[in-house]
Amino acid sequence: MTKLDGADGVAKAAGRLKADAELKKLMARYYQGVFWAKRVRRPIAWITSGTPVEPLYAMGIVPVYPENYGAILGSRKVAAEFCEIAEGAGYSHDLCSYARGSIGSMMADRGPLGGRGLPAPDLLISTKNICNVVVKWWEVIARHYGKPLFVLDVPYVAEEPATPHQLAYVRGQLEEMIAFLERHTHRRLSMSRLVPVLKRSTETVALWERVQACRRASPSPASALDMFTNMFPIVTLRGTEDAVRYYRMLAEELDERVRRHEGPVPDERFRLVWDNIAIWHNFRLVKYFHERGAVFVGETYTNAWGAYEFSPEDYRDPLAAMARQYSSVLLNVGPAVRLARLVKMCRDYRADGVVFHSNRSCKTYSLSQYILARGIQEQLGRPTLFIEADMTDPRAYADAAVKTRVDAYLEILDGRRADDAGGVAGTGAGRASAAGGTV
């Protein structure tokens, strides 16, 4: 750890989180547990990130997330290899790279988990609250393994709150999902086992929110590099003691960093928010921002996982609470709702601008981004940057071109800072427009 000027109480540079070592062990234990479950014939369900996971844990069903596996393929830089296998079988290069990588690994019957791919599912659940691709993707998996598939239908929520009719419909869908799980696993869902899982989910989410809140400090004790990798427990292990223990440790480490004025970019020049999924194959780009004094203090992707808290009143009707939560997930709401959440995040974390990852793979996430960028400029007067890339496929990424845009964007932010210091007249959108608005 490097001390900047030798005086106590000044901002200090911090390296990777100590918790990272425990995170690697946690991930290894999870995947070892999945393979062990297969050997002892404990039911394994492949589910989407938009699936309520609490009933599965309460029933002793092991949830497996092919989307998380896709992120692993990207971070280990083997996604292109498996995407090409799927493309060779006729799957379009324009499809989601999580789907292509996962399907390619499934077809090749190998992957980066000790040379193996994911263990075969016993049943599958897909959801319509993320995108339509996951439905077709899960149909491919179900046909390949000859296993039953349930599709949880969740109507689009253009404006919050969802209507009573929508929520009643989703609650009914959840009842059907649980009946599907009971029918195909011969296990019953009991409230005596579900409520403790809900309590652990709530505790996990509260700790995740505490971790995120630490980033309001300056210097921010963590950046996008830390938070994207630390999503694994809240996505995969929400509702377990492992997730609670891990986030308690992470929160304590970040609290300590705040007290010691430590962060990945101690001499923060710019505080930014990232929109869309990470570029898993190229975290060097985040470091490129750091080297120029810019730190990410929030991400819409990681922020979205703070929505799954249950109140004591919810324990009387958990399905109604799940219907409410899973209807309003980030990719199932209209642009106005997404913009309101993004504006709030920028204000809460005192962000100087927003970086939009225009993600070739995720059309659902990327489609509204220019509406959001215009809203950010109009409401907050803050410049925005667009980066074209793909979350796991490096073939859709041009490093030099992206860095040129980053440099231009940071120059705009520098110019605005100089204008502010010089007392340039005008506020908000006027200044943003004069400075270039969107790069």
Side-chain angles (χ1 to χ4, degrees):
M1 191 172 295
T2 302
K3 198 170 184 179
L4 290 182
D5 66 1
D8 289 338
V10 300
K12 303 170 187 174
R16 295 303 304 269
L17 294 161
K18 296 175 186 174
D20 283 358
E22 183 58 31
L23 179 63
K24 289 179 181 176
K25 293 177 186 175
L26 192 61
M27 293 178 67
R29 283 202 301 273
Y30 166 77
Y31 280 107
Q32 288 166 1
V34 171
F35 284 106
W36 175 83
K38 194 67 184 175
R39 285 200 297 275
V40 300
R41 297 186 178 182
R42 187 176 165 190
I44 293 175
W46 285 19
I47 66 175
T48 71
S49 59
T51 304
V53 71
E54 290 83 3
L56 282 81
Y57 275 121
M59 297 172 71
I61 300 169
V62 179
V64 171
Y65 292 81
E67 294 152 279
N68 175 262
Y69 182 68
I72 291 174
L73 295 178
S75 62
R76 297 194 181 182
K77 305 184 189 310
V78 295
E81 171 191 347
F82 291 109
C83 284
E84 287 174 354
I85 292 172
E87 291 159 14
Y91 292 95
S92 171
H93 182 261
D94 290 325
L95 282 174
C96 163
S97 61
Y98 279 176
R100 280 179 288 133
S102 169
I103 291 170
S105 174
M106 179 181 70
M107 294 173 65
D109 195 22
R110 59 184 171 82
L113 304 175
R116 301 170 291 185
L118 293 173
D122 298 299
L123 64 164
L124 303 105
I125 298 175
S126 187
T127 57
K128 288 188 174 178
N129 57 356
I130 303 174
C131 66
N132 289 328
V133 171
V134 291
V135 176
K136 308 309 290 184
W137 175 6
W138 260 241
E139 287 177 356
V140 170
I141 299 169
R143 284 197 298 270
H144 181 86
Y145 288 111
K147 297 298 180 182
L149 165 66
F150 181 85
V151 178
L152 181 71
D153 188 23
V154 182
Y156 183 66
V157 178
E159 296 180 358
E160 288 186 312
T163 67
H165 177 74
Q166 286 175 313
L167 296 178
Y169 174 75
V170 177
R171 192 188 183 290
Q173 284 285 293
L174 290 168
E175 289 176 348
E176 291 187 23
M177 183 192 82
I178 290 167
F180 168 84
L181 292 172
E182 292 180 336
R183 185 167 63 251
H184 290 285
T185 65
H186 305 291
R187 294 171 180 235
R188 302 288 297 178
L189 176 64
S190 72
M191 287 301 295
S192 63
R193 297 191 64 179
L194 179 59
V195 169
V197 175
L198 300 180
K199 290 180 177 177
R200 288 192 290 271
S201 272
T202 298
E203 190 172 0
T204 300
V205 171
L207 287 165
W208 180 250
E209 290 291 276
R210 177 179 155 191
V211 165
Q212 295 281 26
C214 287
R215 304 169 73 193
R216 298 183 186 190
S218 183
S220 172
S223 183
L225 181 61
D226 305 302
M227 298 308 294
F228 279 132
T229 53
N230 273 288
M231 285 179 61
F232 173 80
I234 199 164
V235 176
T236 304
L237 299 171
R238 196 171 66 258
T240 69
E241 286 289 353
D242 281 343
V244 172
R245 278 194 297 269
Y246 179 75
Y247 284 126
R248 189 176 293 132
M249 179 181 65
L250 178 61
E252 290 171 356
E253 183 177 355
L254 293 192
D255 284 343
E256 180 62 20
R257 279 192 172 190
V258 171
R259 281 192 292 271
R260 295 169 61 88
H261 303 285
E262 294 176 354
V265 184
D267 51 344
E268 290 177 358
R269 294 172 60 224
F270 307 114
R271 296 166 62 86
L272 303 173
V273 167
W274 177 280
D275 182 66
N276 215 309
I277 300 169
I279 304 175
W280 295 111
H281 57 87
N282 192 346
F283 275 133
R284 293 189 307 275
L285 180 64
V286 174
K287 294 179 180 177
Y288 189 79
F289 278 94
H290 289 181
E291 290 163 1
R292 284 149 184 78
V295 62
F296 289 98
V297 295
E299 306 82 26
T300 55
Y301 194 42
T302 65
N303 186 65
W305 294 93
Y308 302 114
E309 285 183 292
F310 296 89
S311 69
E313 291 75 23
D314 291 332
Y315 301 152
R316 290 195 290 269
D317 189 354
L319 296 190
M322 291 178 198
R324 185 179 67 249
Q325 294 167 351
Y326 287 86
S327 291
S328 295
V329 299
L330 181 64
L331 299 186
N332 199 51
V333 295
V337 179
R338 284 182 58 185
L339 176 60
R341 294 178 185 179
L342 183 56
V343 166
K344 183 179 186 306
M345 187 183 305
C346 288
R347 286 178 170 149
D348 288 348
Y349 292 83
R350 296 177 289 110
D352 297 298
V354 180
V355 176
F356 290 95
H357 168 203
S358 180
N359 186 350
R360 180 184 174 88
S361 268
C362 194
K363 280 75 174 178
T364 306
Y365 214 142
S366 306
L367 191 62
S368 304
Q369 286 180 317
Y370 278 96
I371 296 173
L372 302 182
R374 187 168 62 245
I376 289 295
Q377 292 169 37
E378 290 174 351
Q379 295 189 34
L380 301 177
R382 292 170 194 171
T384 57
L385 167 66
F386 276 78
I387 292 173
E388 295 178 355
D390 186 282
M391 54 200 183
T392 71
D393 191 343
R395 296 171 297 173
Y397 178 79
D399 192 57
V402 168
K403 287 179 176 174
T404 297
R405 295 175 73 84
V406 171
D407 291 341
Y409 179 64
L410 297 181
E411 285 181 12
I412 288 175
L413 292 179
D414 254 335
R416 285 172 53 86
R417 186 70 52 83
D419 288 347
D420 288 342
V424 171
T427 59
R431 282 200 315 232
S433 177
T438 295
V439 176

